[in-house]
Amino acid sequence: MAIYESEHTKFMREWMKAHPEEREEQQKGRALWWDKPQDLETQSEYAAGKVAHKPYPYATE
């Protein structure tokens, strides 16, 4: 059974093989937007400050 691989995925695999220096740029971008240190105290403050939502948000009553 063959596993499907999109044209985009194939392109990106080939492009990353041809441009290995881009791996470092990719990691910098990921660190900039996603890899942030987690603070449990701040997370618990966020959780405590959540407001319950109505079951149907468009209700006017």
Side-chain angles (χ1 to χ4, degrees):
M1 179 176 195
I3 298 175
Y4 174 76
E5 189 171 67
S6 71
E7 293 295 320
H8 179 73
T9 302
K10 290 176 185 176
F11 169 78
M12 289 306 297
R13 286 188 200 281
E14 291 172 13
W15 194 81
M16 289 303 275
K17 278 185 188 176
H19 300 91
E21 70 280 358
E22 289 299 319
R23 181 72 59 191
E24 185 178 329
E25 285 296 316
Q26 183 184 34
Q27 290 172 348
K28 284 181 188 176
R30 180 183 170 95
L32 178 67
W33 292 103
W34 298 104
D35 295 338
K36 302 289 183 190
Q38 300 296 311
D39 180 16
L40 294 178
E41 184 178 335
T42 304
Q43 292 296 325
S44 63
E45 288 175 5
Y46 287 156
K50 283 191 173 183
V51 177
H53 293 280
K54 294 180 186 178
Y56 185 68
Y58 302 108
T60 57
E61 299 173 358

